[in-house]
Amino acid sequence: MFAGAAAPPRFVERTPLAIDVRTMSVTVVIGSQWGDEGKGKLVDLLSGDIDIVARYQGGANAGHTIRWGDKEFVLHLLPSGIFRPGVVCVVGNGVVIDPVALLDEIRTVREMGYDVEGRLMISHKAHLIMPYHKAIERAREHARDAGAIGTTGRGIGPAYVDKFARTGVRVVDLLDRDVLRKKLTASIAEKNAILGRVYDADELNVERIIEEYVEFDKVIDPYVTDTSNYLNRALKMGRDVLAEGAQGSLLDVDFGTYPFVTSSHPTAGGACTGLGIPPTSIRRVIGVVKAYCTRVGNGPFPTELTCDVGERLRRVGAEFGATTGRPRRCGWLDLVALRYTSMINGFTDLAITKLDVLSGVDPIRICTQYSHGGKTNMRFPTETKTLAAVEPVYTTMPGWPEDVCGVREIDMLPDAARNMVQLVASFVGVDVCMISTGPRRSETVMARIAA
Ligand code: GDP
Ligand code: IMO
Ligand code: MG
């Protein structure tokens, strides 16, 4: 099937934006921290003004929460435009697909009354997560013991290992039963040897897995297409594309806090390789910045707060993993890290989220330098040992007592809140294009605060 020729229907309701995403080109939305910045809310909001939303990396490790009216849904694999009728949603080649998670999500979205027929496209080149990927990840994390990464257990790392080792199974392989059987038999024999001999873990049954994946093929077949071709043709036809990143820049396998990272490229370059679109098609790169920082899993986190303030951020911000339910570690906003991720991604705009959570926190601290070995600087070290050793140097600002939840006008924000946003824009040298003051679509200030 190739749906590229048909113009995707446009959603009629438009949101007044302080950023023009109708550029007939690509806008990339990227987490600027360690994930969970509120990308889902933002992509859903911007989707009201866009033709196509495309996920470019990661898998069901992502948890993107969308809230509208009295409804809330956490998406793991489907792009966050799926609740906007008429918006085409693409799962790109860079995503690793867990069939069980995908089918479950498609079913639930349909049951909620949202049609996916003709507007969901899945890349034939995307790799599949196999039961052995999850089994190996479990065994590896267990063996790492205290040095564990604290992964989401969704098989992401081992699936990307197979992709780059050129032993992965792709969506297109489902079309040919003989190829699928041959690939899986070889792969499972190798994985069973590793599971049994190295990790003393249970082995997997080849026939059962083949059966399961053949069933999966029957359901996803209508959605499978050459998505790179589709996107490039759509761009030529003047469509707007929103590329939705999962995770965050500091979890990037190259530019994050390695080895405490995910196994893909959430950063801007990942949008090109994960969708098969040229860098020249990208017009805007929006960095999503939570007004404080959170991190799930292990690894260095210079501004982490283990005191009452951290507890308060977790409680008020409901900082519990959308995928695993784990409590998120909380800390102050880190502008040294943000300047670094802005440099890597080339952010053209920043979207500040969860500003409302800081109401009543007084004073507010913002990290503007790191101190290490008796010297202070603004360099973000990605070498784990150094990052774990730096001491954050804070700029202290007065907080505000007013509840700003749901505020939609910039003038309705207290001066202290506006000053904080201004500091972020000026420090990073990038305009803020919107401020989120609550989880719902409407709870957003659409204003441009110039750097
Ligand atoms: P994502 O992974 O970046 O999409 O973010 P998550 O969905 O994992 O986590 C963000 C959480 O914050 C979700 O529960 C959202 O509903 C919620 N959220 C998003 N923006 C805001 C905001 O401005 N204020 C508040 N209070 N919650 C928000
Ligand atoms: P969204 O898209 C926050 C973290 C895990 C772990 C590390 C590696 O919702 O922002 P993995 O399972 O990817 O191999 O785990 O990355 N992690 C996330 N943290 N938000 C996410 O996604 C994450 N996806 C993975 O907690 O530390
Ligand atoms: Mg999340």
Side-chain angles (χ1 to χ4, degrees):
M1 179 194 80
F2 178 67
R10 266 183 170 275
F11 187 56
V12 285
E13 177 194 318
R14 287 192 178 273
T15 323
L17 301 175
I19 174 170
D20 190 7
V21 286
R22 297 185 304 271
T23 53
M24 291 189 268
S25 58
V26 182
T27 297
V28 194
V29 171
I30 300 176
S32 69
Q33 297 154 331
W34 282 283
D36 303 326
E37 297 90 350
K39 301 176 291 294
K41 168 187 167 162
L42 199 79
V43 171
D44 167 68
L45 176 68
L46 296 177
S47 299
D49 226 39
I50 222 116
D51 301 307
I52 302 163
V53 180
R55 263 281 301 270
Y56 59 85
Q57 45 69 237
N61 50 349
H64 295 179
T65 314
I66 299 179
R67 214 194 266 195
W68 67 110
D70 59 352
K71 294 196 185 107
E72 181 181 275
F73 196 76
V74 180
L75 290 163
H76 300 290
L77 274 166
L78 294 180
S80 299
I82 203 77
F83 297 114
R84 297 288 200 168
V87 170
V88 172
C89 289
V90 172
V91 178
N93 57 278
V95 176
V96 281
I97 298 177
D98 179 349
V100 182
L102 182 69
L103 294 189
D104 196 45
E105 212 159 284
I106 292 176
R107 193 170 41 244
T108 316
V109 166
R110 273 198 186 136
E111 280 168 9
M112 288 169 78
Y114 293 86
D115 203 4
V116 297
E117 307 312 324
R119 67 181 197 98
L120 173 62
M121 299 191 189
I122 298 170
S123 168
H124 66 310
K125 290 193 170 105
H127 280 244
L128 294 170
I129 301 230
M130 292 288 162
Y132 48 77
H133 292 136
K134 291 184 195 170
I136 287 178
E137 180 176 342
R138 250 192 322 271
R140 239 181 231 156
E141 281 284 270
H142 188 254
R144 278 190 188 118
D145 202 15
I149 293 166
T151 65
T152 58
R154 299 301 189 265
I156 305 297
Y160 279 115
V161 166
D162 275 359
K163 171 172 175 168
F164 285 90
R166 295 154 295 176
T167 53
V169 180
R170 304 200 293 178
V171 168
V172 67
D173 295 327
L174 294 171
L175 300 177
D176 188 326
R177 302 283 146 90
D178 291 338
V179 171
L180 182 66
R181 175 170 291 277
K182 220 162 127 190
K183 275 195 158 189
L184 279 179
T185 307
S187 247
I188 294 172
E190 186 203 19
K191 299 306 191 282
N192 274 343
I194 296 171
L195 284 167
R197 289 186 220 151
V198 180
Y199 296 114
D200 199 20
D202 292 342
E203 298 187 357
L204 299 154
N205 180 302
V206 184
E207 290 307 322
R208 233 193 9 244
I209 297 176
I210 293 175
E211 250 172 60
E212 200 182 310
Y213 279 71
V214 164
E215 279 307 303
F216 168 61
D217 175 47
K218 287 184 194 152
V219 184
I220 68 150
D221 197 46
Y223 309 114
V224 177
T225 188
D226 182 337
T227 50
S228 163
N229 203 355
Y230 168 74
L231 287 169
N232 280 291
R233 286 177 62 175
L235 284 167
K236 277 215 167 75
M237 288 160 70
R239 307 277 172 246
D240 314 307
V241 177
L242 198 65
E244 176 180 11
Q247 290 78 55
S249 305
L250 296 172
L251 289 172
D252 186 282
V253 68
D254 276 312
F255 300 104
T257 51
Y258 192 89
F260 300 100
V261 291
T262 191
S263 299
S264 66
H265 292 291
T267 47
C272 297
T273 53
L275 294 176
I277 49 159
T280 43
S281 65
I282 297 176
R283 182 78 58 88
R284 288 188 175 284
V285 184
I286 306 177
V288 189
V289 185
K290 201 184 285 195
Y292 48 95
C293 279
T294 61
R295 175 163 205 172
V296 207
N298 302 326
F301 180 1
T303 62
E304 183 169 13
L305 289 164
T306 49
C307 59
D308 289 356
V309 183
E311 265 307 317
R312 181 196 171 120
L313 292 175
R314 184 174 307 116
R315 182 173 43 80
V316 179
E319 296 296 354
F320 295 89
T323 297
T324 58
R326 292 178 290 176
R328 295 174 181 152
R329 299 155 66 193
C330 297
W332 296 118
L333 180 60
D334 185 341
L335 292 187
V336 176
L338 184 60
R339 256 167 73 124
Y340 165 72
T341 57
S342 182
M343 174 188 80
I344 297 293
N345 289 300
F347 291 145
T348 56
D349 306 83
L350 300 177
I352 310 275
T353 62
K354 303 191 89 160
L355 191 68
D356 54 301
V357 176
L358 289 182
S359 283
V361 178
D362 197 6
I364 289 169
R365 295 191 207 287
I366 297 180
C367 173
T368 45
Q369 280 193 312
Y370 286 164
S371 163
H372 186 239
K375 291 189 185 137
T376 54
N377 61 47
M378 286 193 273
R379 201 181 69 80
F380 182 80
T382 41
E383 196 267 307
T384 305
K385 216 167 134 192
T386 315
L387 188 63
V390 301
E391 281 295 328
V393 178
Y394 291 111
T395 295
T396 302
M397 303 186 84
W400 56 92
E402 299 91 337
D403 180 3
V404 299
C405 189
V407 165
R408 302 177 65 169
E409 302 296 329
I410 188 80
D411 297 340
M412 298 304 284
L413 285 177
D415 286 349
R418 269 187 306 200
N419 289 343
M420 184 195 161
V421 173
Q422 183 64 65
L423 173 72
V424 176
S426 305
F427 191 93
V428 182
V430 177
D431 290 4
V432 168
C433 67
M434 64 184 84
I435 304 163
S436 174
T437 56
R440 291 184 179 79
R441 285 173 183 164
S442 57
E443 296 171 324
T444 312
V445 176
M446 287 295 180
R448 184 159 282 275
I449 290 101

